[in-house]
């Protein structure tokens, strides 16, 4: 039997959702215009006033927001409330510039917890479960986002955070954890250490996992499910929007339901900015229409995806988005060909390789090259030189067939690639270092 956390919203008629979005959008635009000088000036340059926005149909009249806007107004320039009303701050890693800082009022935290509680409920979680949160706590939104949702449900929450994997496994065993929340790459690392300890999925009690914060393929989902003995669910979010819980998978796993009462989604052509019709692939754009401290309008996520509004078999009427199919800023252009890391991962996992890999792009004598470094199991690595050569050639053929360009394959011993307790680093683009 399908369970909902807030059925009055999750199963509401489409016209009800749209009317609610329009009402909240009009209110959000006016609040932002009146309280955030940066947005007011941006709207004035675009020739738009709050009176021009009367419904969702007028959304595309508003200017886009970009990550650079958040950096340019660091740290508090986009707050729509006085700092005294902000009860928590979160921030992105800031690896490519200043951190992205997001503020939350008490009501914002309550909304965020509801969004994550919907995701947990869709994965089968209730007050009888033990939720093991291995996302990082602190400025990163992952840990406290999942934590808030679990507490809303009344589940027993284990705030382990990331790292110290041996201890994580002991806790999984001893505390009887039934729900695991972490990045998909860290879930596979937990499975790897579990098996190194001579244990199997039968020695832990997990039934479901909620994995996000990085792209992952359906092949990776199958590996996680097989090795940890659970059903793996996707969750989507960004610090700039609210954190995890913007969208979540239900048991049908045919896309992620967007919490449309709080976030409006658009899909645009990343080159022209034109809004695309339902079913066409493009860049996902989100507007946060209920946040008090840090509302944001038409934020360009750089994530590539598709949306569909057909009613799901689970009974939810919330629009669904596909798994992100890559990022416009993660896309590699190698010898004129667009290459997404997720394409390479899909080939590796379909051929039975573990999800421990690295993509190295280089440029010599004005020629681009791509090398895929992938770990193999001990028994395979101890194979004959000819056997390893044949495996490498098979993988190179499969990659060329999908990508349309040649990629060199380098097979590595187990444990060669450094493990991450957070987001995995998949790409090393040496061309950027040379520019």
């Amino acid at each position: 039997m399908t369970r909902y956390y807030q059925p009055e919203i999750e199963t509401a008629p489409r016209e009800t959702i749209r009317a609610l979005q329009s009402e909240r959008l009009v209110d959000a635009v006016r609040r932002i215009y009146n309280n955030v000088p940066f947005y007011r000036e941006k709207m004035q340059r675009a020739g738009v006033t709050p009176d021009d926005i009367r419904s969702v149909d007028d959304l595309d009249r508003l200017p886009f927001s970009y990550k650079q806007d958040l950096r340019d107004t660091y740290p508090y320039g986009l707050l729509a409330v006085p700092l005294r009303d902000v009860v928590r701050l979160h921030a992105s890693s800031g690896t490519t510039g200043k951190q992205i800082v997001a503020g939350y009022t008490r009501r914002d935290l309550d909304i965020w917890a509801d969004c994550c509680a919907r995701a947990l409920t869709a994965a089968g979680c209730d007050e009888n479960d033990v939720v093991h949160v291995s996302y990082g706590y602190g400025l990163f939104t992952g840990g406290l986002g999942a934590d808030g949702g679990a507490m809303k449900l009344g589940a027993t929450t284990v705030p382990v955070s990331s790292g110290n994997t041996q201890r994580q496994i002991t806790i999984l065993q001893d505390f009887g954890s039934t729900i695991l929340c972490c990045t998909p790459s860290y879930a596979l690392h937990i499975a790897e250490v579990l098996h190194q300890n001579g244990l199997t999925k039968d020695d832990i009690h997990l039934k479901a996992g909620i994995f996000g914060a990085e792209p992952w393929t359906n092949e990776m989902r199958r590996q996680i499910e097989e090795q940890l003995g659970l059903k793996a669910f996707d969750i989507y979010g960004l610090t700039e929007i609210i954190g995890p819980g913007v969208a979540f998978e239900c048991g049908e796993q045919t896309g992620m339901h967007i919490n449309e009462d709080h976030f409006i989604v658009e899909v645009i052509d990343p080159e022209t900015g034109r809004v695309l019709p339902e079913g066409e692939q493009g860049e996902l754009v989100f507007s946060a229409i209920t946040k008090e401290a840090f509302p944001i309008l038409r934020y360009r996520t750089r994530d590539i995806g598709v949306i569909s509004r057909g009613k799901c078999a689970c009974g939810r009427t919330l629009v669904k988005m596909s798994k992100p199919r890559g990022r416009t800023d993660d896309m590699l252009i190698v010898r004129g060909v667009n290459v997404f890391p997720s394409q390479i991962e899909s080939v590796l996992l379909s051929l039975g390789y573990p999800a421990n890999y690295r993509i190295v792009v280089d440029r010599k004598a004005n020629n681009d090259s791509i090398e895929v470094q992938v770990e193999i199991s001990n028994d395979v690595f101890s194979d004959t030189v000819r056997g390893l050569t044949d495996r490498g050639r098979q993988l190179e053929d499969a990659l060329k067939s999908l990508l349309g360009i040649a990629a060199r394959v380098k097979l590595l011993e187990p444990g060669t690639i450094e493990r991450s307790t957070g987001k995995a680093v998949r790409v090393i683009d040496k061309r950027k270092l040379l520019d």
Side-chain angles (χ1 to χ4, degrees):
M1 175 181 171
T2 301
R3 294 180 63 253
Y4 312 105
Y5 175 68
Q6 293 171 319
E8 68 280 5
I9 287 295
E10 294 176 64
T11 62
R14 289 298 315 164
E15 57 269 23
T16 300
I17 293 173
R18 188 171 180 81
L20 182 62
Q21 286 184 325
S22 292
E23 177 186 335
R24 290 179 169 179
L25 174 64
V26 169
D27 177 67
V29 170
R30 193 166 297 281
R31 282 190 296 110
I32 291 170
Y33 188 89
N34 291 335
N35 297 310
V36 187
F38 179 86
Y39 269 122
R40 182 164 57 250
E41 292 168 12
K42 183 187 279 269
M43 289 174 64
Q44 288 172 346
R45 288 196 300 271
V48 183
T49 71
D51 292 337
D52 296 320
I53 309 302
R54 301 179 181 180
S55 74
V56 176
D57 293 332
D58 301 315
L59 184 60
D60 63 356
R61 301 185 64 175
L62 294 167
F64 291 117
S65 299
Y66 301 86
K67 181 167 283 191
Q68 191 59 45
D69 294 339
L70 281 68
R71 293 192 176 118
D72 291 345
T73 55
Y74 171 91
Y76 301 140
L78 292 186
L79 290 181
V81 299
L83 190 58
R84 65 176 177 272
D85 294 336
V86 176
V87 298
R88 190 191 296 168
L89 294 170
H90 279 284
S92 69
S93 60
T95 53
T96 57
K98 282 188 177 294
Q99 295 186 98
I100 303 305
V101 179
Y104 299 75
T105 65
R106 292 186 187 279
R107 182 171 177 270
D108 291 337
L109 292 178
D110 194 53
I111 288 171
W112 186 17
D114 281 340
C115 289
C116 289
R118 291 179 189 175
L120 284 160
T121 301
C125 180
D126 61 23
E127 67 276 7
N128 299 305
D129 283 294
V130 178
V131 181
H132 184 105
V133 182
S134 293
Y135 288 115
Y137 281 69
L139 289 177
F140 175 58
T141 55
L144 284 165
D147 188 293
M151 292 184 68
K152 273 273 188 172
L153 290 181
T156 302
T157 309
V158 186
V160 190
S161 195
S162 56
N164 200 339
T165 309
Q166 291 285 358
R167 179 169 173 260
Q168 301 255 1
I169 289 170
T170 299
I171 292 172
L172 285 169
Q173 287 185 285
D174 296 349
F175 290 18
S177 305
T178 54
I179 309 288
L180 174 63
C181 300
C182 64
T183 63
S185 56
Y186 191 53
L188 279 177
H189 182 49
I190 289 174
E192 183 180 41
V193 176
L194 181 78
H195 298 148
Q196 287 172 358
N197 289 344
L199 303 172
T200 72
K201 59 189 177 184
D202 296 327
D203 294 301
I204 53 179
H205 314 277
L206 295 173
K207 69 176 187 181
I210 298 180
F211 308 117
E214 63 186 17
W216 54 304
T217 60
N218 282 321
E219 288 84 0
M220 194 169 182
R221 184 205 301 273
R222 285 190 282 273
Q223 277 199 10
I224 293 171
E225 290 181 337
E226 173 59 30
Q227 294 180 30
L228 289 177
L230 50 73
K231 186 165 184 176
F233 293 82
D234 207 347
I235 190 169
Y236 176 84
L238 304 89
T239 300
E240 301 93 311
I241 307 302
I242 202 167
V246 173
F248 61 92
E249 271 190 324
C250 66
E252 298 299 315
Q253 297 187 317
T254 54
M256 286 180 278
H257 292 283
I258 296 169
N259 285 311
E260 289 187 276
D261 50 330
H262 302 297
F263 314 106
I264 302 176
V265 66
E266 301 169 273
V267 177
I268 66 167
D269 182 318
E271 298 297 326
T272 66
R274 180 176 65 88
V275 178
L276 300 175
E278 177 183 341
E280 285 198 28
Q281 178 172 289
E283 181 182 346
L284 298 169
V285 174
F286 282 95
S287 297
I289 53 175
T290 56
K291 287 175 65 183
E292 294 179 330
F294 190 72
I296 196 163
L297 297 173
R298 304 198 80 199
Y299 182 73
R300 294 188 59 162
T301 66
R302 301 298 182 188
D303 287 324
I304 301 298
V306 176
I307 62 171
S308 61
R309 290 188 170 85
K311 187 172 181 179
C312 182
C314 76
R316 290 177 178 83
T317 52
L318 300 172
V319 64
K320 286 190 293 190
M321 57 174 276
S322 65
K323 272 180 172 290
R325 298 176 178 180
R327 290 178 56 83
T328 59
D329 52 0
D330 280 352
M331 183 181 73
L332 300 165
I333 301 178
V334 183
R335 299 195 292 278
V337 175
N338 297 342
V339 177
F340 288 101
S342 59
Q343 294 175 297
I344 293 173
E345 179 179 294
S346 178
V347 172
L348 294 174
L349 296 179
S350 68
L351 293 177
Y353 289 90
N356 299 318
Y357 67 94
R358 189 165 51 205
I359 302 163
V360 180
V361 185
D362 206 348
R363 177 178 293 144
K364 294 179 181 178
N366 294 319
N367 289 319
D368 289 347
S369 65
I370 183 168
E371 178 179 88
V372 179
Q373 302 174 355
V374 57
E375 290 184 11
I376 53 179
S377 61
N378 273 313
D379 58 327
V380 173
F381 195 79
S382 61
D383 200 356
T384 64
V385 173
R386 178 168 182 171
L388 291 175
T389 300
D390 289 345
R391 283 179 177 274
R393 188 175 295 116
Q394 178 197 31
L395 185 49
E396 287 176 348
D397 290 344
L399 289 169
K400 185 174 183 179
S401 176
L402 178 68
L403 304 177
I405 58 171
R408 180 172 178 263
V409 169
K410 185 176 183 180
L411 303 179
L412 304 174
E413 290 184 80
T416 302
I417 297 173
E418 183 179 356
R419 302 298 190 262
S420 171
T421 60
K423 297 184 182 182
V425 178
R426 300 295 195 194
V427 179
I428 300 173
D429 194 342
K430 294 183 177 180
R431 298 173 302 179
K432 295 179 181 178
L433 302 178
L434 297 173
D435 291 340

